[in-house]
Amino acid sequence: MSVRRLAEEQPASFEFTPENMVWVKAQIAKYPEGRQASAVIPLLWQAQKQNQYWLPKPAIEKVAELLDMPYIRVLEIATFYTMFNLEPVGRYFIQMCGTTPCMLRGSDEIKAVLQRRVGEQRKVSADGNFAWLEVECLGACCNAPMVQINDDYYEDLTPENFEKLLDDLAAGRPVSIGSQTGRRSSEPAGKLTTLVSLYGEDGLSGPASAKTTA
Amino acid sequence: MTKIIVDGKEVDVPAEYTLLQACEEAGAEIPRFCFHERLSIAGNCRMCLVELKGAPKPVASCAWSVKDCRPGPNGEPPVVVTKSPTVKKARNGVMEFLLINHPLDCPICDQGGECDLQDQAMAFGVDSSRYAENKRAVEDKYIGPLVRTSMNRCIHCTRCVRFTAEVAGTADMGAIGRGEDMEITTYLETAMSSELQGNVADLCPVGALLPKPYAFKARPWELGKTESIDVMDALGSAIRVDIRGREVMRILPRVNESVNEEWISDKTRQIVDGLKNQRLDRPYIRKDGRLQPASWGDAFAAIAARVKATTPARIGALAGDLASVEDMFALKVLMDNLGAKSIDCRQDGTKLHPSLGRASYLFNPTIAGIEEADAILIVGSNPRKESPVLNARIRKRWRMGGVQIALVGERTDLTYDYQYLGAGAETLAELASGKGFADVLAKAQRPMVIVGQGALMRADGLSILATAAKLARPAADWNGLAVMHTAAARVGGLDLGLVPGEGGLDARAMTRPGALDVLFNLGADEIDIAPGAFVVYQGTHGDRGAHRADVILPGATYTEKSGLYVNTEGRVQYADRANFAPGEAREDWAILRALSDVLGAKLPFDSLSALRKALYAAHPHFGRVDAIEAGALSFGAQNADLQPGAFTNAVQDFYLTNPIARASAVMAECSALAKGRLQQAAE
């Protein structure tokens, strides 16, 4: 962690889109009169999503005005939580998990790919597509190594499938979220190893794979 | 009440007390940084750790209340230990952590010598550091013209943040970032907007926030300290004037629970440079259209020649806003001796008059009484500008809840919510007929109506006062009529009866062309005097009054004389002399005494004590310092004919209300900043 400041270059203004404004109003309505400030984190989050995953100064001020809070109170929150990006992060913001399970499963190679293709951490790539950051555990250890790109997790990465993923994203081709090796959720990479007396007809779990003879 | 044993001593304290308060009750000293009696509890410095029997670890005594303590196995009172080795070790540890990132720059730090961290490191710390790593470095922030920052020294107690959010009500400051990177700042380093911002420097327990104008000027141990009373507004805040040699170095608040608690406004604190700039330090006489230096004798002779050439009916006197009771008393006696009836202390033209009874011009519910009011109506006043510390008291009341506040007058940000009723007399007339907020006032146990000079300066000022009094329903145990003064001298002047006698002219009439031949002007700088009269200006600064003067007699400012002042609630307060007036300037009563001799109307006192003796004989209540003389309210059949029209507040520029403030460069900077903010808000 380091000192967090607002970006040097800021857009002139920020407005929630009409759809987001409806969503924002619904969030504010969750809290009693006079307690609108409770909605500050959801609002900042939505503002960040709307603005290519970073929070510009006008957005912070807009949220403060919507919630009738002093600007400094909202700035405190935006600078406290590191998941609020205060600088542009490209079209795709890659958060790469480097914590022990991912590291043991090869996150260093993923990191090498990022360093080669995107460059330094926290710097937007020359084409404006990517920026990346090594983060602590994102809680998908069974499918390590993994990254989060914008809102979605991409798991079971290898340097090869990760490069392809980046290529596809850059080219705007459709990608599948979750495991990149075709594994279903976080089931064993091979085939089912527990509850095999009940499930695993096709090597998978769940009602669809229930053994009829059981 | 709950029993608790502190260091073996049993004390009986209210259950809602914190352990820290209970320990103090028992006489145990608890070090602290973040805890402050008048702010919310943060519990983040950990310096106040004590040992609580039954608790697994030392507990932060500021954030642990007595009722949260468990009794012993046989129902014994809870036991707190503040002197055990565990506590000592805990304090050592906390202090070591606090000092990890604190620079060792006490020799060049203005806080040195009066620093909580320095003192407590001596008392509770260890003598050496085990820390060999790099220290954290933090950028210094711009937070306004009055407070200088040195953020490396900050220990993140957040007192300043809590002060601006809670007491000042402007929420200027905050803590951005987290952990080691936490930084105290204003929003993107804008200047603070509060009129009480200087107090954050007092609150800061270390040298992170320091008064900017005082930076590197003096060390606390070389200052002479004098207790005094502020005259920048009519609140009469308790202050301490610190001097070195003949020079006032700084002004700090003193605690007076019933007036200013422990806050003072920025104007009170930072007009220090105004006490030195543009001072009148010798007499002047106007010759050939220009003011030229003269001797006291020549000046007196010039006045005497003019006075002898006219009749008492053509002589008048004005008393200004900063005059002490003694000065005004001497002026009144001089005018009486000369037989002049035209005398007035109301240069702003307020319609208040002593004949209506003392309660008609006092802030009757008292300042502390604001906390008891349950409905407050503000009429033609902006308390935030007219007396920021009083406004903080209203805000304190508002924060307690259960009060309704409404405003008639100029709409503005008062730092608390209020119901806006309307702009002027029409709205007040509506209220008088029992509509709207009048209902709230009628139902309130302790209604309060604050009337500003903005409303009382109008031609129908007395009708407004009568209407306000009606709404405030004065009763034997509670008089809710609260007159908000803007001038420190005003209540004293009205007490002395500095209003025109029979056939005399008032301030407005005296300053009209051709009204008088000789006008004595005792520091009245807020009024334009038409050409014609021979003006004797007795004052301190080369301000408006001096420019219009024909003879200037240099007087003493409030720090340079011993005097009595009566604040807006009618409290008589004594201000001691801190230093001496510059050059040939003299204390004002002494000037009047010397002048009276030359005029052949000798004042019957040769010393300040003799003057006071005469003063107390004529007005006994001035002898009761720090007391409020109960006043009567004797409205006759005041006609309640309100003329339509919006109220205009008496104070438009908070920072430049008197000659001392106008001579101060610091106040000029603050005023320019405030104007910029106003413009920005308008855009």
Side-chain angles (χ1 to χ4, degrees):
Chain A
M1 290 222 300
S2 59
V3 174
R4 284 155 56 81
R5 296 268 191 269
L6 296 186
E8 294 272 314
E9 279 176 44
Q10 294 283 351
S13 65
F14 175 89
E15 285 297 333
F16 280 108
T17 59
E19 307 86 72
N20 277 342
M21 204 60 209
V22 172
W23 186 90
V24 160
K25 293 246 168 73
Q27 293 299 312
I28 296 173
K30 282 182 180 174
Y31 304 98
E33 185 58 36
R35 297 279 183 270
Q36 305 92 331
S38 302
V40 65
I41 290 181
L43 260 60
L44 283 174
W45 196 241
Q46 198 70 5
Q48 167 159 314
K49 265 191 189 178
Q50 186 188 311
N51 192 61
Q52 298 217 313
Y53 290 88
W54 73 285
L55 268 181
K57 175 179 160 230
I60 289 172
E61 291 174 0
K62 183 78 198 169
V63 168
E65 282 155 21
L66 280 170
L67 299 176
D68 200 17
M69 290 168 79
Y71 289 165
I72 182 76
R73 291 283 100 81
V74 184
L75 182 73
E76 283 178 334
I77 291 160
T79 54
F80 184 92
Y81 293 103
T82 50
M83 285 166 85
F84 290 124
N85 298 311
L86 302 178
E87 306 222 318
V89 289
R91 269 167 71 208
Y92 299 102
F93 179 48
I94 304 166
Q95 298 177 72
M96 192 216 66
C97 174
T99 309
T100 319
C102 279
M103 190 199 72
L104 293 173
R105 297 276 296 154
S107 69
D108 287 351
E109 289 163 42
I110 305 298
K111 197 180 196 170
V113 171
L114 284 167
Q115 271 160 346
R116 179 163 50 75
R117 280 203 52 150
V118 183
E120 251 182 276
Q121 285 196 50
R122 296 170 194 274
K123 290 266 154 49
V124 182
S125 62
D127 56 8
N129 277 333
F130 302 107
W132 75 282
L133 183 65
E134 181 175 341
V135 297
E136 299 307 324
C137 186
L138 289 170
C141 312
C142 9
N143 294 9
M146 60 80 65
V147 299
Q148 182 184 350
I149 303 180
N150 292 354
D151 284 341
D152 298 314
Y153 279 13
Y154 297 85
E155 301 147 357
D156 289 331
L157 300 175
T158 60
E160 295 73 39
N161 69 21
F162 186 51
E163 288 241 30
K164 182 171 174 299
L165 177 69
L166 295 182
D167 287 338
D168 288 349
L169 285 171
R173 286 190 288 270
V175 294
S176 61
I177 58 170
S179 170
Q180 299 300 301
T181 56
R183 153 153 55 163
R184 192 164 94 183
S185 66
S186 54
E187 287 183 2
K191 60 187 178 68
L192 209 59
T193 53
T194 55
L195 299 179
V196 286
S197 60
L198 297 172
Y199 304 107
E201 200 78 316
D202 49 3
L204 299 171
S205 72
S209 318
K211 286 188 174 171
T212 45
T213 53
Chain B
M1 301 289 271
T2 312
K3 284 191 169 45
I4 185 163
I5 297 169
V6 179
D7 293 335
K9 185 179 167 191
E10 190 175 290
V11 283
D12 207 9
V13 293
E16 67 274 10
Y17 259 34
T18 62
L19 284 186
L20 192 143
Q21 286 170 306
C23 290
E24 291 200 323
E25 199 80 2
E29 191 192 343
I30 309 287
R32 85 285 304 264
F33 294 110
C34 71
F35 177 79
H36 192 274
E37 289 84 354
R38 286 171 228 276
L39 302 175
S40 63
I41 293 166
N44 54 12
C45 76
R46 316 308 292 178
M47 196 60 208
C48 63
L49 293 177
V50 296
E51 204 180 342
L52 175 64
K53 200 125 258 182
K57 303 183 282 186
V59 300
S61 61
C62 73
W64 194 289
S65 73
V66 171
K67 61 172 179 266
D68 292 338
C69 301
R70 274 191 298 180
N74 308 313
E76 306 97 331
V79 176
V80 175
V81 186
T82 71
K83 296 190 172 79
S84 67
T86 314
V87 173
K88 186 175 186 313
K89 204 173 163 194
R91 285 173 182 168
N92 274 346
V94 169
M95 184 54 80
E96 194 169 7
F97 272 123
L98 286 173
L99 292 178
I100 276 181
N101 278 314
H102 192 83
L104 196 61
D105 61 355
C106 304
I108 57 152
C109 175
D110 268 344
Q111 190 88 350
E114 50 183 6
C115 176
D116 287 358
L117 189 65
Q118 204 177 27
D119 294 348
Q120 292 183 31
M122 294 297 287
F124 305 105
V126 284
D127 60 353
S128 59
S129 173
R130 292 182 287 170
Y131 189 73
E133 286 76 12
N134 285 331
K135 290 203 176 210
R136 180 189 62 139
V138 186
E139 291 165 45
D140 290 345
K141 310 286 189 299
Y142 172 80
I143 61 170
L146 300 181
V147 182
R148 184 177 171 276
T149 63
S150 183
M151 298 318 285
N152 279 343
R153 298 174 186 150
C154 179
I155 58 165
H156 304 144
C157 67
T158 68
R159 274 185 185 180
C160 53
V161 178
R162 284 174 284 147
F163 174 82
T164 52
E166 292 163 15
V167 179
T170 49
D172 287 319
M173 302 197 73
I176 61 165
R178 63 199 284 190
E180 194 191 22
D181 301 312
M182 178 170 158
E183 295 180 11
I184 299 290
T185 181
T186 55
Y187 182 67
L188 305 178
E189 302 197 27
T190 46
M192 289 189 279
S193 59
S194 173
E195 291 79 12
L196 297 167
Q197 56 182 275
N199 291 299
V200 299
D202 285 346
L203 284 171
C204 187
V206 296
L209 305 181
L210 291 164
K212 203 179 253 181
Y214 174 70
F216 307 125
K217 288 265 168 66
R219 284 307 210 171
W221 55 83
E222 56 186 14
L223 299 172
K225 300 164 181 75
T226 311
E227 298 197 342
S228 183
I229 296 298
D230 172 54
V231 299
M232 291 298 122
D233 56 36
L235 186 71
S237 300
I239 54 169
R240 193 184 91 194
V241 180
D242 284 6
I243 55 139
R244 188 178 57 191
R246 289 179 70 120
E247 197 183 2
V248 176
M249 300 306 294
R250 62 172 177 180
I251 292 170
L252 292 177
R254 278 187 294 133
V255 175
N256 186 344
E257 293 294 344
S258 38
V259 177
N260 59 321
E261 297 182 274
E262 63 177 275
W263 320 122
I264 53 173
S265 73
D266 293 339
K267 190 163 52 174
T268 302
R269 184 189 301 269
Q270 296 298 4
I271 40 86
V272 172
D273 62 331
L275 292 169
K276 290 164 225 162
N277 296 339
Q278 297 204 315
R279 281 304 297 272
L280 301 170
D281 56 359
R282 61 169 84 168
Y284 288 86
I285 301 177
R286 192 177 290 277
K287 277 183 199 151
D288 316 323
R290 287 174 59 88
L291 284 165
Q292 288 170 10
S295 70
W296 279 105
D298 292 347
F300 285 167
I303 299 166
R306 288 296 190 133
V307 168
K308 278 175 186 142
T310 186
T311 58
R314 305 278 294 165
I315 299 175
L318 278 173
D321 294 347
L322 308 180
S324 72
V325 168
E326 287 87 342
D327 302 345
M328 289 186 287
F329 182 65
L331 183 68
K332 177 124 198 337
V333 176
L334 176 62
M335 286 298 123
D336 288 348
N337 288 359
L338 289 172
K341 301 273 189 238
S342 301
I343 185 165
D344 206 343
C345 66
R346 304 165 302 176
Q347 56 170 322
D348 58 3
T350 179
K351 296 290 176 288
L352 296 170
H353 199 282
S355 67
L356 300 174
R358 192 166 193 247
S360 74
Y361 57 84
L362 293 188
F363 199 97
N364 292 298
T366 72
I367 311 292
I370 293 172
E371 286 172 34
E372 289 166 36
D374 50 2
I376 300 175
L377 174 67
I378 301 169
V379 180
S381 171
N382 177 355
R384 184 172 170 188
K385 282 188 179 164
E386 289 167 25
S387 179
V389 179
L390 187 144
N391 196 50
R393 193 72 89 124
I394 303 178
R395 184 180 152 80
K396 185 180 177 192
R397 174 69 194 89
W398 174 76
R399 272 168 53 81
M400 290 177 196
V403 65
Q404 281 182 285
I405 305 175
L407 173 77
V408 181
E410 286 179 47
R411 193 174 216 154
T412 175
D413 176 12
L414 291 179
T415 72
Y416 40 83
D417 293 338
Y418 60 85
Q419 202 181 328
Y420 184 69
L421 301 178
E426 297 91 331
T427 316
L428 196 64
E430 249 172 60
L431 286 174
S433 63
K435 282 185 207 147
F437 197 76
D439 196 39
V440 177
L441 287 171
K443 282 188 186 136
Q445 298 287 315
R446 293 179 180 283
M448 184 164 153
V449 181
I450 300 175
V451 194
Q453 298 304 318
L456 298 172
M457 275 163 8
R458 292 158 42 116
D460 60 347
L462 283 183
S463 306
I464 289 169
L465 187 65
T467 312
K470 199 176 128 201
L471 287 166
R473 292 186 285 122
D477 60 333
W478 175 265
N479 183 351
L481 177 65
V483 177
M484 180 86 158
H485 286 274
T486 54
R490 189 62 43 79
V491 176
L494 291 169
D495 279 353
L496 286 169
L498 252 71
V499 288
E502 226 168 292
L505 304 172
D506 68 7
R508 290 273 159 88
M510 274 189 265
T511 53
R512 287 202 187 104
L516 295 175
D517 285 335
V518 178
L519 176 59
F520 288 94
N521 180 353
L522 182 64
D525 287 273
E526 321 304 321
I527 191 165
D528 272 320
I529 301 167
F534 181 82
V535 178
V536 179
Y537 178 75
Q538 181 177 338
T540 55
H541 285 72
D543 206 71
R544 201 196 299 190
H547 290 304
R548 171 61 189 86
D550 293 292
V551 172
I552 292 175
L553 305 176
T557 62
Y558 67 110
T559 64
E560 293 153 6
K561 61 190 172 198
S562 154
L564 293 169
Y565 297 92
V566 189
N567 80 353
T568 189
E569 53 177 350
R571 186 184 300 275
V572 180
Q573 302 194 98
Y574 175 75
D576 216 345
R577 189 186 62 210
N579 61 336
F580 291 96
E584 293 175 40
R586 292 289 177 271
E587 291 183 33
D588 295 83
W589 78 268
I591 297 171
L592 290 166
R593 165 69 184 76
L595 177 63
S596 70
D597 218 0
V598 181
L599 298 181
K602 195 171 163 188
L603 298 180
F605 28 77
D606 296 330
S607 68
L608 194 55
S609 55
L611 185 154
R612 289 211 174 109
K613 216 172 191 176
L615 173 69
Y616 298 160
H619 305 276
H621 74 276
F622 285 122
R624 293 188 278 278
V625 169
D626 215 33
I628 301 174
E629 180 82 355
L633 193 58
S634 57
F635 277 123
Q638 288 298 329
N639 66 344
D641 289 341
L642 299 176
Q643 296 156 12
F647 299 140
T648 316
N649 290 335
V651 174
Q652 292 300 334
D653 191 337
F654 164 70
Y655 296 101
L656 303 175
T657 53
N658 62 52
I660 304 178
R662 282 190 291 267
S664 158
V666 178
M667 286 298 109
E669 190 182 352
C670 290
S671 166
L673 258 175
K675 277 205 190 94
R677 257 199 304 275
L678 213 63
Q679 246 159 28
Q680 216 172 23
E683 272 163 17

